[in-house]
Amino acid sequence: MSAARRGAIPRGSPRSARRAGGVADVAAGESCTVLVLAAGRSTRMKSEKSKLLHLLRGKPILARTLVNAGEVGRVYCVVGDGADEMRAIAEEHGAQVIVQEPPLGTGHAVLCAEQSLRGRSGTLLILNGDVPLAGPEILSSLVAFHVARRCDLTVLSTRPPDPGRYGRIVRRGSDLEAIVEYLDASARVRAVGEINAGIYCARIPAVFPYLHKLTNKNEKREYYLTDLVAVLRRARRKVACMFMPAWRELLGINDRTDLDEAEAILNRGKIRALQREGVSVRSSCNTFIGDDVSIAPDTTVHPFSIIDGKTRIGRHCVIMPFTRVVDSTLGDRVTVLGSSLIVDSVIEGGSTVGPFCHLRGRTRILRDSKVGNFVEMKKTAFGPASKAMHLTYLGDATVGEAVNVGAGTITCNYDGVSKNPTHVERGVFIGSGTELVAPVRVGEGAYVAAGSTITEDVPAGSLGIARARQITKEGWAARRKGKS
Ligand code: UD1
Ligand code: CA
């Protein structure tokens, strides 16, 4: 368990927060508890499931928020009753689950944690579950700000180009006076551009008595956490607002358009990072590169490609358009021509595959090989320096060095019950249109005649021909014409 998970801010906080010096140092020794709110009804998503279960770049939104939360302290997560999938995700991320039923608003959600947090003191970082782009650096700088000013409540704000339906920050002078929800706001307040990001720090246990004072006299008939600002101010407790210009990272995901926006932000961030490391990505808005992908310098990725999963790509590679690479490893100087699908496979240095090539099931293309159009390989080791240029299926095959596989070659690897292996040894020449009925072996340096159906092993150095002999009937065409 990391120091962060045990709840000590300074050791667990990211390097930049520690580097921030003074502010972060004030947080030293303070314990931090994080409360993720995830029990709301996701009406705007128009989905049968909670919006927090929707995938953002392959991971549930809630999982992303919990990972960020886990970096700053011990995590509690408020979920709805019967939300088994949410509960499972929370537990998987080491969070303690609290149930809110029915969901009566964000203020009520925090109140539901009162029992569980009894006996804890220090800072409570409250995090809306639908703000998954706010990383640990943002979260811990808010904590540091809050602790440094010894506030009872600190609100994080930003100023997006379109403040939409976010709660508005109402200030008197520079002081935070209230947060007014969009639905309850006058035209004058709606015109305010500074919004509540849905991330707060509160002092526990001091805030709980004030949460009991919240009412639901508003448009949604909910107990708003945001009303706590006005309640605390009336009680002359210290509230503050920390402004951050990073509005993109503070995006709240409420509907499918927000989800698309978040995908684009993360994708662009990943691509910018790769570009800084020396990778050419020609069109960041038309290329999708997953979080866990690594690409070495001087590789070029052309538009309309998806590179995902735990893929690693070496130097001087070229990925041509409409390619999808998932959970695969490409060595240096690999070229993937367009419209290829490469899943769970390895392509060693100097090889070229595609266009329209499909590699899957732990296929290994060994160095300097060429795999061409409409070639599919499954669980096959191929090469080094071998070629299969056209219209071929190799499954459960081991193809050695410098083998030439002719157009239209097929391994018949499945007999209806089990998968059988094919072995093609080094230097073999397989003529076009060959069927290799497995299990079968073609020995070193052997030739297989075009159009053969090979059902028996072909010994090294020999020629295997397995096709009907041709009969030629001279003058036959003219005789046929004469008949009609
Ligand atoms: C909330 C804020 C708004 C802010 C915005 C930032 C309130 C009243 N408003 O609005 O000021 O600008 O976030 O993104 O807080 N939830 C529960 N239980 C509930 C209701 C909600 O756990 O009873 C959870 C939701 O699952 C969600 C989070 O709280 O993860 C925020 O709820 P949501 O309904 O999305 O609030 P907003 O209307 O976006
Ligand atoms: Ca929201």
Side-chain angles (χ1 to χ4, degrees), residues 44 51 128 130 252-254:
R44 282 175 273 175
K51 64 180 170 187
N128 282 1
D130 62 352
I253 300 181
N254 296 303

Side-chain angles (χ1 to χ4, degrees), residues 44 51 106 128-131 165-166 197-198 251-255 258:
R44 282 175 273 175
K51 64 180 170 187
T106 46
N128 282 1
D130 62 352
V131 190
R165 299 172 76 85
Y166 287 108
L251 175 77
I253 300 181
N254 296 303
D255 58 28
D258 295 332

